[in-house]
Amino acid sequence: MTAIVTRDLEQALRILREDGIVAVPTETVYGLAARALSRSAVERVFAAKGRPRDHPLIVHVHSIDQARQWGFLDDRAERLVYRFWPGPLTILVPRRPIVPDWVTGARDTVALRMPDHAATLRVIEELGEPIVAPSANKFGKVSPTTARHVLDELGNDIDAIIDGGPCAIGVESTIVECVAEIQILRPGAVTTEQVEAEIGSDIATGSGPSRAPGMLASHYAPNSPVLLCSSLEEAQTLASTTEGLSVLIHEPDEAVFARNLYRRLREADSMGVDRIIVVLAPDHGLGAAINDRLAKAAAATISDRRAD
Ligand code: TXA
Ligand code: MG
């Protein structure tokens, strides 16, 4: 059965209440939602994505109050959510007893996020309980930024998709660990500089694979090889001196770059190009998040070559 694409939130809510799985829009990327408290629904999310069970999921809430029921927010976490929610920030905090092991892979922490999208906030509020929502793509692939992307990739594996239009930001949320030391585990549209300004001190940016198991070196990968350049000149030279069809991606406006990045990668893939050449962003602010995803997309290219 193919997923229903709908704007009818009541219909989506009925499916979620019956432990179905529904792709939902957020300001970052589309997520694949299920009731966090339903073991069978969460199992279906892992199965649809082909995601290993030990990769924990982000719990999406509709209010700061609801977040406090699922995690222990210290002063720093409180400051961050007060400032950046709803928005592209996920906090990693010690979990409360209500959090099921199937969401966290039995870790003692829980990732919490309040997305900035009216339809999805409404769904969580009406449901009366949080949802899990990993990005709605097959494991290791590029995240979806439109309902169409989700339909193409997961249409046969899920029950419904809420079409909330194209995602405004286009890269996944910033993940900030607020357990002992503050650490940025995944860069995103809430920048390191903004987190530091809010916390009032310097913070580490160590995305260790042991700490956030989804942060594999190779991730966010299109099928075509991805080659990274530090300038437009370098990219043009590379495109003109290599054989076959190259797509060149270069966008000086970082907000536009982030918003269109995954769509551009998908389009290049569907054209079956020989390589995707991308000019990196300046490595700070939102540019750091863009470059992080590009490095992961290119890492798949490098490891495929090693496997040859
Ligand atoms: O923007 C986003 O965050 C999107 C939208 C849909 O909200 N969601 C998203 O989820 O990117 P996902 O599952 O694709 O990425 C979540 C990341 C994974 O790398 C996972 O390992 C990490 O968060 N994570 C979740 N819970 C964790 C925990 N308790 N400890 C360590 N890492 C955790
Ligand atoms: Mg993901």
Side-chain angles (χ1 to χ4, degrees), residues 257-285:
F257 197 171
R259 190 179 311 133
N260 294 336
L261 178 63
Y262 291 150
R263 178 174 58 75
R264 296 290 305 273
L265 293 177
R266 276 171 191 271
E267 283 169 2
D269 250 358
S270 65
M271 288 161 58
V273 301
D274 296 295
R275 70 195 65 77
I276 305 170
I277 301 173
V278 193
V279 182
L280 289 163
D283 210 25
H284 51 79

PDB file of all heavy atoms in Angstrom, residues 257-285:
ATOM      1  N   PHE A 257      21.699  27.934   0.401  1.00  0.00           N
ATOM      2  CA  PHE A 257      22.528  26.732   0.236  1.00  0.00           C
ATOM      3  C   PHE A 257      21.937  25.594   1.081  1.00  0.00           C
ATOM      4  O   PHE A 257      21.656  24.492   0.589  1.00  0.00           O
ATOM      5  CB  PHE A 257      23.959  27.065   0.685  1.00  0.00           C
ATOM      6  CG  PHE A 257      25.040  26.112   0.236  1.00  0.00           C
ATOM      7  CD1 PHE A 257      26.381  26.434   0.446  1.00  0.00           C
ATOM      8  CD2 PHE A 257      24.746  24.903  -0.392  1.00  0.00           C
ATOM      9  CE1 PHE A 257      27.408  25.585   0.047  1.00  0.00           C
ATOM     10  CE2 PHE A 257      25.768  24.044  -0.796  1.00  0.00           C
ATOM     11  CZ  PHE A 257      27.099  24.383  -0.571  1.00  0.00           C
ATOM     12  N   ALA A 258      21.719  25.864   2.363  1.00  0.00           N
ATOM     13  CA  ALA A 258      21.199  24.831   3.270  1.00  0.00           C
ATOM     14  C   ALA A 258      19.812  24.369   2.825  1.00  0.00           C
ATOM     15  O   ALA A 258      19.532  23.169   2.773  1.00  0.00           O
ATOM     16  CB  ALA A 258      21.140  25.368   4.703  1.00  0.00           C
ATOM     17  N   ARG A 259      18.955  25.327   2.487  1.00  0.00           N
ATOM     18  CA  ARG A 259      17.564  24.999   2.154  1.00  0.00           C
ATOM     19  C   ARG A 259      17.483  24.083   0.936  1.00  0.00           C
ATOM     20  O   ARG A 259      16.643  23.203   0.859  1.00  0.00           O
ATOM     21  CB  ARG A 259      16.777  26.296   1.900  1.00  0.00           C
ATOM     22  CG  ARG A 259      15.285  26.103   1.776  1.00  0.00           C
ATOM     23  CD  ARG A 259      14.567  27.430   1.541  1.00  0.00           C
ATOM     24  NE  ARG A 259      14.994  28.433   2.505  1.00  0.00           N
ATOM     25  CZ  ARG A 259      15.332  29.685   2.189  1.00  0.00           C
ATOM     26  NH1 ARG A 259      15.264  30.103   0.934  1.00  0.00           N
ATOM     27  NH2 ARG A 259      15.716  30.529   3.110  1.00  0.00           N
ATOM     28  N   ASN A 260      18.380  24.312  -0.048  1.00  0.00           N
ATOM     29  CA  ASN A 260      18.279  23.575  -1.315  1.00  0.00           C
ATOM     30  C   ASN A 260      19.233  22.397  -1.420  1.00  0.00           C
ATOM     31  O   ASN A 260      19.160  21.626  -2.378  1.00  0.00           O
ATOM     32  CB  ASN A 260      18.552  24.525  -2.483  1.00  0.00           C
ATOM     33  CG  ASN A 260      17.471  25.591  -2.595  1.00  0.00           C
ATOM     34  OD1 ASN A 260      16.345  25.381  -2.127  1.00  0.00           O
ATOM     35  ND2 ASN A 260      17.809  26.717  -3.173  1.00  0.00           N
ATOM     36  N   LEU A 261      20.138  22.245  -0.442  1.00  0.00           N
ATOM     37  CA  LEU A 261      21.222  21.263  -0.571  1.00  0.00           C
ATOM     38  C   LEU A 261      20.727  19.840  -0.848  1.00  0.00           C
ATOM     39  O   LEU A 261      21.138  19.201  -1.827  1.00  0.00           O
ATOM     40  CB  LEU A 261      22.092  21.281   0.698  1.00  0.00           C
ATOM     41  CG  LEU A 261      23.235  20.256   0.706  1.00  0.00           C
ATOM     42  CD1 LEU A 261      24.228  20.535  -0.415  1.00  0.00           C
ATOM     43  CD2 LEU A 261      23.943  20.261   2.062  1.00  0.00           C
ATOM     44  N   TYR A 262      19.841  19.331   0.001  1.00  0.00           N
ATOM     45  CA  TYR A 262      19.430  17.933  -0.153  1.00  0.00           C
ATOM     46  C   TYR A 262      18.614  17.727  -1.426  1.00  0.00           C
ATOM     47  O   TYR A 262      18.699  16.689  -2.062  1.00  0.00           O
ATOM     48  CB  TYR A 262      18.659  17.453   1.086  1.00  0.00           C
ATOM     49  CG  TYR A 262      19.519  17.324   2.334  1.00  0.00           C
ATOM     50  CD1 TYR A 262      18.988  17.518   3.597  1.00  0.00           C
ATOM     51  CD2 TYR A 262      20.860  16.989   2.245  1.00  0.00           C
ATOM     52  CE1 TYR A 262      19.763  17.380   4.742  1.00  0.00           C
ATOM     53  CE2 TYR A 262      21.653  16.850   3.391  1.00  0.00           C
ATOM     54  CZ  TYR A 262      21.090  17.048   4.629  1.00  0.00           C
ATOM     55  OH  TYR A 262      21.856  16.917   5.768  1.00  0.00           O
ATOM     56  N   ARG A 263      17.829  18.735  -1.796  1.00  0.00           N
ATOM     57  CA  ARG A 263      17.065  18.631  -3.047  1.00  0.00           C
ATOM     58  C   ARG A 263      18.031  18.578  -4.237  1.00  0.00           C
ATOM     59  O   ARG A 263      17.874  17.755  -5.147  1.00  0.00           O
ATOM     60  CB  ARG A 263      16.110  19.828  -3.196  1.00  0.00           C
ATOM     61  CG  ARG A 263      15.317  19.817  -4.490  1.00  0.00           C
ATOM     62  CD  ARG A 263      14.272  20.930  -4.567  1.00  0.00           C
ATOM     63  NE  ARG A 263      14.833  22.275  -4.433  1.00  0.00           N
ATOM     64  CZ  ARG A 263      15.503  22.913  -5.386  1.00  0.00           C
ATOM     65  NH1 ARG A 263      15.714  22.339  -6.566  1.00  0.00           N
ATOM     66  NH2 ARG A 263      15.972  24.126  -5.179  1.00  0.00           N
ATOM     67  N   ARG A 264      19.039  19.429  -4.208  1.00  0.00           N
ATOM     68  CA  ARG A 264      20.021  19.424  -5.309  1.00  0.00           C
ATOM     69  C   ARG A 264      20.737  18.081  -5.404  1.00  0.00           C
ATOM     70  O   ARG A 264      20.984  17.570  -6.499  1.00  0.00           O
ATOM     71  CB  ARG A 264      21.055  20.549  -5.103  1.00  0.00           C
ATOM     72  CG  ARG A 264      20.494  21.964  -5.151  1.00  0.00           C
ATOM     73  CD  ARG A 264      20.050  22.398  -6.538  1.00  0.00           C
ATOM     74  NE  ARG A 264      21.076  22.284  -7.566  1.00  0.00           N
ATOM     75  CZ  ARG A 264      21.984  23.219  -7.853  1.00  0.00           C
ATOM     76  NH1 ARG A 264      21.982  24.346  -7.183  1.00  0.00           N
ATOM     77  NH2 ARG A 264      22.867  23.019  -8.804  1.00  0.00           N
ATOM     78  N   LEU A 265      21.103  17.507  -4.255  1.00  0.00           N
ATOM     79  CA  LEU A 265      21.785  16.210  -4.262  1.00  0.00           C
ATOM     80  C   LEU A 265      20.864  15.132  -4.834  1.00  0.00           C
ATOM     81  O   LEU A 265      21.277  14.300  -5.641  1.00  0.00           O
ATOM     82  CB  LEU A 265      22.251  15.827  -2.850  1.00  0.00           C
ATOM     83  CG  LEU A 265      23.362  16.705  -2.235  1.00  0.00           C
ATOM     84  CD1 LEU A 265      23.674  16.254  -0.815  1.00  0.00           C
ATOM     85  CD2 LEU A 265      24.638  16.697  -3.079  1.00  0.00           C
ATOM     86  N   ARG A 266      19.597  15.166  -4.427  1.00  0.00           N
ATOM     87  CA  ARG A 266      18.638  14.189  -4.949  1.00  0.00           C
ATOM     88  C   ARG A 266      18.446  14.344  -6.452  1.00  0.00           C
ATOM     89  O   ARG A 266      18.377  13.356  -7.185  1.00  0.00           O
ATOM     90  CB  ARG A 266      17.264  14.366  -4.278  1.00  0.00           C
ATOM     91  CG  ARG A 266      17.158  13.667  -2.961  1.00  0.00           C
ATOM     92  CD  ARG A 266      15.869  14.042  -2.246  1.00  0.00           C
ATOM     93  NE  ARG A 266      15.935  13.546  -0.885  1.00  0.00           N
ATOM     94  CZ  ARG A 266      15.525  12.340  -0.511  1.00  0.00           C
ATOM     95  NH1 ARG A 266      14.956  11.526  -1.374  1.00  0.00           N
ATOM     96  NH2 ARG A 266      15.654  11.968   0.738  1.00  0.00           N
ATOM     97  N   GLU A 267      18.345  15.596  -6.915  1.00  0.00           N
ATOM     98  CA  GLU A 267      18.136  15.831  -8.348  1.00  0.00           C
ATOM     99  C   GLU A 267      19.326  15.325  -9.160  1.00  0.00           C
ATOM    100  O   GLU A 267      19.157  14.689 -10.202  1.00  0.00           O
ATOM    101  CB  GLU A 267      17.892  17.320  -8.616  1.00  0.00           C
ATOM    102  CG  GLU A 267      16.482  17.741  -8.236  1.00  0.00           C
ATOM    103  CD  GLU A 267      16.283  19.255  -8.223  1.00  0.00           C
ATOM    104  OE1 GLU A 267      17.245  19.995  -8.555  1.00  0.00           O
ATOM    105  OE2 GLU A 267      15.180  19.688  -7.858  1.00  0.00           O
ATOM    106  N   ALA A 268      20.529  15.611  -8.669  1.00  0.00           N
ATOM    107  CA  ALA A 268      21.737  15.156  -9.367  1.00  0.00           C
ATOM    108  C   ALA A 268      21.731  13.635  -9.456  1.00  0.00           C
ATOM    109  O   ALA A 268      22.036  13.047 -10.499  1.00  0.00           O
ATOM    110  CB  ALA A 268      22.981  15.665  -8.650  1.00  0.00           C
ATOM    111  N   ASP A 269      21.351  13.005  -8.360  1.00  0.00           N
ATOM    112  CA  ASP A 269      21.272  11.545  -8.314  1.00  0.00           C
ATOM    113  C   ASP A 269      20.292  11.002  -9.347  1.00  0.00           C
ATOM    114  O   ASP A 269      20.574  10.034 -10.038  1.00  0.00           O
ATOM    115  CB  ASP A 269      20.778  11.113  -6.934  1.00  0.00           C
ATOM    116  CG  ASP A 269      21.872  10.437  -6.148  1.00  0.00           C
ATOM    117  OD1 ASP A 269      22.990  10.281  -6.679  1.00  0.00           O
ATOM    118  OD2 ASP A 269      21.602  10.057  -5.004  1.00  0.00           O
ATOM    119  N   SER A 270      19.114  11.644  -9.427  1.00  0.00           N
ATOM    120  CA  SER A 270      18.092  11.105 -10.321  1.00  0.00           C
ATOM    121  C   SER A 270      18.488  11.316 -11.783  1.00  0.00           C
ATOM    122  O   SER A 270      18.010  10.613 -12.676  1.00  0.00           O
ATOM    123  CB  SER A 270      16.715  11.701 -10.019  1.00  0.00           C
ATOM    124  OG  SER A 270      16.737  13.066 -10.307  1.00  0.00           O
ATOM    125  N   MET A 271      19.381  12.280 -12.039  1.00  0.00           N
ATOM    126  CA  MET A 271      19.911  12.453 -13.402  1.00  0.00           C
ATOM    127  C   MET A 271      21.007  11.432 -13.696  1.00  0.00           C
ATOM    128  O   MET A 271      21.479  11.335 -14.834  1.00  0.00           O
ATOM    129  CB  MET A 271      20.494  13.862 -13.561  1.00  0.00           C
ATOM    130  CG  MET A 271      19.461  14.977 -13.611  1.00  0.00           C
ATOM    131  SD  MET A 271      20.239  16.591 -13.249  1.00  0.00           S
ATOM    132  CE  MET A 271      21.497  16.649 -14.545  1.00  0.00           C
ATOM    133  N   GLY A 272      21.446  10.728 -12.657  1.00  0.00           N
ATOM    134  CA  GLY A 272      22.492   9.721 -12.842  1.00  0.00           C
ATOM    135  C   GLY A 272      23.822  10.317 -13.269  1.00  0.00           C
ATOM    136  O   GLY A 272      24.520   9.770 -14.120  1.00  0.00           O
ATOM    137  N   VAL A 273      24.192  11.468 -12.699  1.00  0.00           N
ATOM    138  CA  VAL A 273      25.450  12.131 -13.096  1.00  0.00           C
ATOM    139  C   VAL A 273      26.658  11.329 -12.607  1.00  0.00           C
ATOM    140  O   VAL A 273      26.550  10.498 -11.710  1.00  0.00           O
ATOM    141  CB  VAL A 273      25.530  13.580 -12.565  1.00  0.00           C
ATOM    142  CG1 VAL A 273      24.369  14.400 -13.092  1.00  0.00           C
ATOM    143  CG2 VAL A 273      25.561  13.611 -11.036  1.00  0.00           C
ATOM    144  N   ASP A 274      27.820  11.601 -13.217  1.00  0.00           N
ATOM    145  CA  ASP A 274      29.039  10.872 -12.854  1.00  0.00           C
ATOM    146  C   ASP A 274      29.642  11.394 -11.561  1.00  0.00           C
ATOM    147  O   ASP A 274      30.326  10.667 -10.849  1.00  0.00           O
ATOM    148  CB  ASP A 274      30.071  10.984 -13.979  1.00  0.00           C
ATOM    149  CG  ASP A 274      29.543  10.315 -15.239  1.00  0.00           C
ATOM    150  OD1 ASP A 274      29.358   9.090 -15.197  1.00  0.00           O
ATOM    151  OD2 ASP A 274      29.273  11.024 -16.228  1.00  0.00           O
ATOM    152  N   ARG A 275      29.424  12.659 -11.289  1.00  0.00           N
ATOM    153  CA  ARG A 275      29.938  13.212 -10.027  1.00  0.00           C
ATOM    154  C   ARG A 275      29.186  14.494  -9.688  1.00  0.00           C
ATOM    155  O   ARG A 275      28.676  15.185 -10.578  1.00  0.00           O
ATOM    156  CB  ARG A 275      31.449  13.478 -10.092  1.00  0.00           C
ATOM    157  CG  ARG A 275      31.872  14.617 -10.976  1.00  0.00           C
ATOM    158  CD  ARG A 275      33.347  14.582 -11.271  1.00  0.00           C
ATOM    159  NE  ARG A 275      33.734  13.406 -12.054  1.00  0.00           N
ATOM    160  CZ  ARG A 275      33.523  13.289 -13.379  1.00  0.00           C
ATOM    161  NH1 ARG A 275      32.939  14.254 -14.047  1.00  0.00           N
ATOM    162  NH2 ARG A 275      33.874  12.192 -14.019  1.00  0.00           N
ATOM    163  N   ILE A 276      29.146  14.787  -8.375  1.00  0.00           N
ATOM    164  CA  ILE A 276      28.556  16.036  -7.896  1.00  0.00           C
ATOM    165  C   ILE A 276      29.704  16.824  -7.277  1.00  0.00           C
ATOM    166  O   ILE A 276      30.337  16.356  -6.331  1.00  0.00           O
ATOM    167  CB  ILE A 276      27.458  15.771  -6.844  1.00  0.00           C
ATOM    168  CG1 ILE A 276      26.393  14.799  -7.400  1.00  0.00           C
ATOM    169  CG2 ILE A 276      26.816  17.077  -6.382  1.00  0.00           C
ATOM    170  CD1 ILE A 276      25.402  14.281  -6.359  1.00  0.00           C
ATOM    171  N   ILE A 277      29.995  17.988  -7.853  1.00  0.00           N
ATOM    172  CA  ILE A 277      31.099  18.810  -7.352  1.00  0.00           C
ATOM    173  C   ILE A 277      30.487  19.961  -6.556  1.00  0.00           C
ATOM    174  O   ILE A 277      29.635  20.687  -7.070  1.00  0.00           O
ATOM    175  CB  ILE A 277      31.950  19.359  -8.519  1.00  0.00           C
ATOM    176  CG1 ILE A 277      32.506  18.190  -9.352  1.00  0.00           C
ATOM    177  CG2 ILE A 277      33.075  20.244  -8.004  1.00  0.00           C
ATOM    178  CD1 ILE A 277      33.227  18.612 -10.624  1.00  0.00           C
ATOM    179  N   VAL A 278      30.901  20.107  -5.299  1.00  0.00           N
ATOM    180  CA  VAL A 278      30.284  21.132  -4.454  1.00  0.00           C
ATOM    181  C   VAL A 278      31.350  22.064  -3.892  1.00  0.00           C
ATOM    182  O   VAL A 278      32.386  21.608  -3.409  1.00  0.00           O
ATOM    183  CB  VAL A 278      29.509  20.509  -3.269  1.00  0.00           C
ATOM    184  CG1 VAL A 278      28.612  21.557  -2.604  1.00  0.00           C
ATOM    185  CG2 VAL A 278      28.679  19.315  -3.704  1.00  0.00           C
ATOM    186  N   VAL A 279      31.085  23.368  -3.956  1.00  0.00           N
ATOM    187  CA  VAL A 279      31.967  24.356  -3.342  1.00  0.00           C
ATOM    188  C   VAL A 279      31.549  24.516  -1.880  1.00  0.00           C
ATOM    189  O   VAL A 279      30.390  24.846  -1.593  1.00  0.00           O
ATOM    190  CB  VAL A 279      31.891  25.711  -4.072  1.00  0.00           C
ATOM    191  CG1 VAL A 279      32.862  26.712  -3.442  1.00  0.00           C
ATOM    192  CG2 VAL A 279      32.185  25.534  -5.562  1.00  0.00           C
ATOM    193  N   LEU A 280      32.473  24.244  -0.959  1.00  0.00           N
ATOM    194  CA  LEU A 280      32.186  24.317   0.476  1.00  0.00           C
ATOM    195  C   LEU A 280      31.799  25.726   0.908  1.00  0.00           C
ATOM    196  O   LEU A 280      32.200  26.711   0.270  1.00  0.00           O
ATOM    197  CB  LEU A 280      33.420  23.866   1.268  1.00  0.00           C
ATOM    198  CG  LEU A 280      33.740  22.361   1.190  1.00  0.00           C
ATOM    199  CD1 LEU A 280      35.171  22.096   1.633  1.00  0.00           C
ATOM    200  CD2 LEU A 280      32.744  21.559   2.028  1.00  0.00           C
ATOM    201  N   ALA A 281      31.054  25.826   1.996  1.00  0.00           N
ATOM    202  CA  ALA A 281      30.679  27.126   2.579  1.00  0.00           C
ATOM    203  C   ALA A 281      31.805  27.586   3.506  1.00  0.00           C
ATOM    204  O   ALA A 281      32.630  26.775   3.927  1.00  0.00           O
ATOM    205  CB  ALA A 281      29.383  26.967   3.362  1.00  0.00           C
ATOM    206  N   PRO A 282      31.857  28.882   3.852  1.00  0.00           N
ATOM    207  CA  PRO A 282      32.786  29.321   4.902  1.00  0.00           C
ATOM    208  C   PRO A 282      32.478  28.532   6.175  1.00  0.00           C
ATOM    209  O   PRO A 282      31.303  28.306   6.484  1.00  0.00           O
ATOM    210  CB  PRO A 282      32.436  30.803   5.084  1.00  0.00           C
ATOM    211  CG  PRO A 282      31.720  31.199   3.832  1.00  0.00           C
ATOM    212  CD  PRO A 282      31.024  29.969   3.331  1.00  0.00           C
ATOM    213  N   ASP A 283      33.537  28.112   6.906  1.00  0.00           N
ATOM    214  CA  ASP A 283      33.334  27.099   7.946  1.00  0.00           C
ATOM    215  C   ASP A 283      32.911  27.667   9.310  1.00  0.00           C
ATOM    216  O   ASP A 283      33.520  27.364  10.325  1.00  0.00           O
ATOM    217  CB  ASP A 283      34.618  26.275   8.090  1.00  0.00           C
ATOM    218  CG  ASP A 283      34.300  24.846   8.542  1.00  0.00           C
ATOM    219  OD1 ASP A 283      33.169  24.388   8.291  1.00  0.00           O
ATOM    220  OD2 ASP A 283      35.178  24.218   9.152  1.00  0.00           O
ATOM    221  N   HIS A 284      31.901  28.500   9.330  1.00  0.00           N
ATOM    222  CA  HIS A 284      31.353  28.968  10.603  1.00  0.00           C
ATOM    223  C   HIS A 284      29.867  29.222  10.443  1.00  0.00           C
ATOM    224  O   HIS A 284      29.359  29.223   9.314  1.00  0.00           O
ATOM    225  CB  HIS A 284      32.074  30.237  11.087  1.00  0.00           C
ATOM    226  CG  HIS A 284      32.130  31.304  10.037  1.00  0.00           C
ATOM    227  ND1 HIS A 284      31.068  32.117   9.739  1.00  0.00           N
ATOM    228  CD2 HIS A 284      33.121  31.651   9.179  1.00  0.00           C
ATOM    229  CE1 HIS A 284      31.405  32.934   8.756  1.00  0.00           C
ATOM    230  NE2 HIS A 284      32.635  32.670   8.377  1.00  0.00           N
ATOM    231  N   GLY A 285      29.171  29.382  11.568  1.00  0.00           N
ATOM    232  CA  GLY A 285      27.731  29.607  11.516  1.00  0.00           C
ATOM    233  C   GLY A 285      27.033  28.452  10.807  1.00  0.00           C
ATOM    234  O   GLY A 285      27.424  27.288  10.958  1.00  0.00           O
TER     235      GLY A 285
END
